[in-house]
Amino acid sequence: MEIVLALGSAIAYGVADFGGGVLSKKAHVFTVILLSQLTASLAVLAVLPFWDGVLSWPALQWGAAAGVAGMAGAAFLYRGLAIGRMGVVAPITAVLAAAIPVSFGLATGERPGAIALIGVASGLLAVVLIARTPAPVDPKGPSSGIVEPGARLPQGLREALGAGAGFGVFFILLERAPDESGLWPLVGTRLSILPAVALLALIAGASFRPTERTGLWLMALGVVNLGADLLYLLATRSGLLSLVAVITSLYPAATVALARITLDERMLKQQMLGVGFAALSVTLIALR
């Protein structure tokens, strides 16, 4: 079951990242985070009475700490997606977002079986392959689509690295919340995200009001993001962090696919090969 939940989380995160990147081209990044997370907060409060869970300080504290890390990751990611290529920024983010919790899980005593470990390695390789970026295109000639040695770093790389670190820590902290806490950790994440991002938005001079064209999309983004968090939280409660984090970190496949379909960002052969390794990773982890 944790495999299905983690896959669902990966798809939801990929859709949310695509939407956040597009909206960040039209509105300030802090406006996007604040208004989408406000919608997510209202949604989790509406569902909370119907979801069993024990309220405790550890649940809120772990959730709040995860919220700070996740907010930082989202700010870096949305900024990176707004200034760089989605097919580059999102996968690079996922390399760290997968490697950090996997390393933490193994360091704290998790011992997946041999088949699952091969699946983890396949998943990390998939993320790296999907992250490959084409060389700058010469408008007067065809592009080889090959990453040439010495080529300049892709725009948005620094933001991608910051986002990966933030999301990697987010995955670890949210997983530490007590299993019996239900949705309370997600309440904690919103309790920390909203005031922090509101203050940052105020300092940056970002608008607190959406435009007519972005209002509904920001609400939808908040709901999708909350769904991704919930599916990930449920997956970690029934599976190992080192396995769930790898599958969840395959979310760039959804982001890259949407960018290809809607923005006509082409995929390289290496990226398509990475999708194949991603499928292999999920299969091996499921067979552990």
Side-chain angles (χ1 to χ4, degrees):
M1 177 59 71
E2 66 270 21
I3 306 301
V4 175
L5 293 171
L7 276 174
S9 179
I11 294 172
Y13 277 130
V15 172
D17 289 348
F18 174 80
V22 171
L23 290 170
S24 293
K25 297 177 185 288
K26 303 176 181 179
H28 197 285
V29 62
F30 290 135
T31 301
V32 173
I33 297 175
L34 176 62
L35 297 181
S36 63
Q37 289 301 320
L38 180 58
T39 301
S41 300
L42 296 175
V44 74
L45 290 177
V47 176
L48 192 61
F50 307 99
W51 198 289
D52 292 335
V54 178
L55 172 61
S56 65
W57 281 116
L60 294 178
Q61 290 169 344
W62 284 116
V68 173
M71 181 200 67
F76 278 119
L77 179 62
Y78 291 172
R79 173 60 181 167
L81 292 175
I83 65 175
R85 288 171 56 88
M86 288 193 177
V88 174
V89 175
I92 291 175
T93 298
V95 173
L96 277 179
I100 290 175
V102 167
S103 300
F104 179 84
L106 295 176
T108 53
E110 291 188 357
R111 294 294 180 266
I115 293 179
L117 284 176
I118 295 174
V120 169
S122 177
L124 293 175
L125 178 59
V127 172
V128 173
L129 288 172
I130 296 173
R132 294 295 296 274
T133 174
V137 178
D138 182 354
K140 297 181 180 180
S143 169
S144 64
I146 299 175
V147 182
E148 297 179 354
R152 67 182 181 86
L153 295 177
Q155 193 171 20
L157 175 62
R158 288 178 295 181
E159 288 80 3
L161 294 175
F167 289 145
V169 174
F170 169 83
F171 287 150
I172 293 172
L173 294 176
L174 192 59
E175 185 270 343
R176 308 306 287 177
D179 290 346
E180 69 277 7
S181 56
L183 296 183
W184 286 108
L186 299 183
V187 175
T189 62
R190 271 67 199 179
L191 288 176
S192 63
I193 288 176
L194 286 178
V197 76
L199 177 61
L200 292 173
L202 188 62
I203 294 174
S207 174
F208 283 72
R209 297 180 59 185
T211 64
E212 293 182 1
R213 295 184 178 183
T214 61
L216 290 177
W217 289 112
L218 286 171
M219 293 175 64
L221 175 62
V223 173
V224 173
N225 207 302
L226 175 63
D229 289 348
L230 175 58
L231 290 171
Y232 170 77
L233 183 63
L234 294 176
T236 59
R237 289 176 177 173
S238 57
L240 297 178
L241 173 65
S242 54
L243 303 184
V244 170
V246 170
I247 295 179
T248 301
S249 295
L250 297 176
Y251 66 83
T255 305
V256 170
L258 286 172
R260 177 68 183 91
I261 295 170
T262 63
L263 303 179
D264 200 30
E265 287 191 5
R266 65 190 181 89
M267 291 182 67
L268 302 179
K269 292 181 179 179
Q270 296 98 318
Q271 291 175 314
M272 297 178 67
L273 180 61
V275 173
F277 274 104
L280 176 63
S281 172
V282 173
T283 301
L284 291 175
I285 292 175
L287 292 174
R288 71 190 189 284

